[in-house]
């Protein structure tokens, strides 16, 4: 059925932050490379660290201070050295030259924070830089070290002093404190007025940081339960089959989405699957990326399970959808839906290009097919037909 629907040729090509709609197979077929390039990030739609940092430096200085890769590297390196911040120069050079991308891990985030301190960024600019380069929330308020970085950046203090301050903390007396939701911790931190108050808060509430995804985990369980209720099943595999239009359990080990699909590496990383859903549900080896992607997918399914009209009978637009999912992401402490995030943009494309004839969920299934199934299962489909 999916192959039949797919061959009718309803698909999209994204242009800038908008999307142009294609309604026939001929146009879609001719522009498959363009769509693939966009979703893989090959056509410049996703800003590189070089472009992000160049723009940030020039905006901060009010003129064109840097205009090349070498000048950006030199400017940032000099700024880091001037503040005696030890950093991985080779990693910085690889980011700027496009030889490697930030991985969204602890080492990448550490370098991003170092750059933020070196450039004297405020909280807003630091948040924008990290969310654009790493596709992560800038400050995780369930991690004491990132709380310290937030406070020090907010108050124009120095990186090395932040590191020394964090290393001086003694968490031994606060381990029995109950976990707190991210929004509560954020409000608490924002009301602190001195380093002594920050030190006391972090040490007394050490136990509050044990479960760093307590709010996200609560939302995930609620969204999963709601999705299964809509489906009328208690089987996660059946739910994923309904969302993707394909039973992933039938995929061979060498034909999984992480190995064969044309999605960008960041999309394939921690892509929603039965295994990752189980990890999120049981809070086992869970990462922020796994649960954020799962929450976006489940919310998308719930939001459009009944089509493209809201409860008032009006057509659901992009702003209405983004407002709903961003409220959840904010509560979880995650970065909002971002049109240059290769994963997020899939859902934006689906909403922008839906109408009475094709729902966002159907559009999602066609993109999934064009970027994965059409490459992974052509031989399998041929064998079955024979």
């Amino acid at each position: 059925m999916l192959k039949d629907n797919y061959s009718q040729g309803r698909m999209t090509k994204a242009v800038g932050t908008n999307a142009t709609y294609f309604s026939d197979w001929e146009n879609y077929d001719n522009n498959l490379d363009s769509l693939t390039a966009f979703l893989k990030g090959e056509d410049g739609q996703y800003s590189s660290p070089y472009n992000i940092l160049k723009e940030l430096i020039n905006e901060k200085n009010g003129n064109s201070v840097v205009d090349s890769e070498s000048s950006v590297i030199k400017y940032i390196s000099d700024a880091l050295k001037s503040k005696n911040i030890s950093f991985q120069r080779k990693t910085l050079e690889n980011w700027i030259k496009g030889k490697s991308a930030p991985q969204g891990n602890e080492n990448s985030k550490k370098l991003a924070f170092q750059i933020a301190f070196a450039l004297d960024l405020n909280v807003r600019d630091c948040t924008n830089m990290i969310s654009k380069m790493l596709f992560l929330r800038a400050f995780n308020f369930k991690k004491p070290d990132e709380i310290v970085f937030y406070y020090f950046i907010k108050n124009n203090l120095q990186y090395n002093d932040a590191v020394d301050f964090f290393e001086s903390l003694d968490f031994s007396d606060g381990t029995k404190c109950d976990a707190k939701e991210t929004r509560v911790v954020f409000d608490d931190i924002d009301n602190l007025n001195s380093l002594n108050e920050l030190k006391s808060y972090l040490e007394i509430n050490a136990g509050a940081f044990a479960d760093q995804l307590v709010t996200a985990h609560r939302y995930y369980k609620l969204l999963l339960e709601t999705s299964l209720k809509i489906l009328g099943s208690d089987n996660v595999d059946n739910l994923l089959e309904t969302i993707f239009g394909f039973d992933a359990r039938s995929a061979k080990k060498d034909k999984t989405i992480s190995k064969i699909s044309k999605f960008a590496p960041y999309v394939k990383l921690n892509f929603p699957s039965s295994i990752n859903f189980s990890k999120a549900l049981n809070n086992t080896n869970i990462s922020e990326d796994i649960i954020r992607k799962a929450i976006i997918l489940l919310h998308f399914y719930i939001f459009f399970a009944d089509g493209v009209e809201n409860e008032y009978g009006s057509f659901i637009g992009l702003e209405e959808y983004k407002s709903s999912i961003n409220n959840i992401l904010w509560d979880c402490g995650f970065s909002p839906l971002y049109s240059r995030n290769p994963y997020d943009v899939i859902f934006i494309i689906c909403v922008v290009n839906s109408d009475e004839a094709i729902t966002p969920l159907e559009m999602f299934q066609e993109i999934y097919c064009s970027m994965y199934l059409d490459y992974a299962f052509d031989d399998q489909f041929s064998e079955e037909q024979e």
Side-chain angles (χ1 to χ4, degrees), residues 216 220 223 291-299 328 332 334:
Y220 170 75
L223 291 170
I291 200 163
R292 182 182 183 274
K293 286 177 176 175
I295 284 174
I296 291 174
L297 181 70
L298 290 172
H299 171 272
I328 294 175
C332 295
F334 295 156

Side-chain angles (χ1 to χ4, degrees), residues 274-332:
S274 181
I275 293 176
N276 284 336
F277 267 44
S278 178
K279 286 182 179 180
L281 186 62
N282 297 311
N283 212 17
T284 304
N285 297 322
I286 190 67
S287 72
E288 176 179 321
D289 189 48
I290 287 178
I291 200 163
R292 182 182 183 274
K293 286 177 176 175
I295 284 174
I296 291 174
L297 181 70
L298 290 172
H299 171 272
F300 179 80
Y301 171 70
I302 294 169
F303 206 74
F304 294 107
D306 293 327
V308 294
E309 292 185 351
N310 59 24
E311 58 184 309
Y312 306 107
S314 301
F315 187 81
I316 298 174
L318 179 60
E319 292 308 312
E320 184 176 350
Y321 164 69
K322 287 174 63 177
S323 176
S324 179
I325 181 59
N326 284 343
N327 283 337
I328 294 175
L329 295 175
W330 167 251
D331 274 349
C332 295

Side-chain angles (χ1 to χ4, degrees), residues 330-347:
W330 167 251
D331 274 349
C332 295
F334 295 156
S335 56
L337 214 64
Y338 177 45
S339 61
R340 293 186 182 275
N341 179 319
Y343 182 78
D344 295 2
V345 79
I346 296 172
F347 300 91

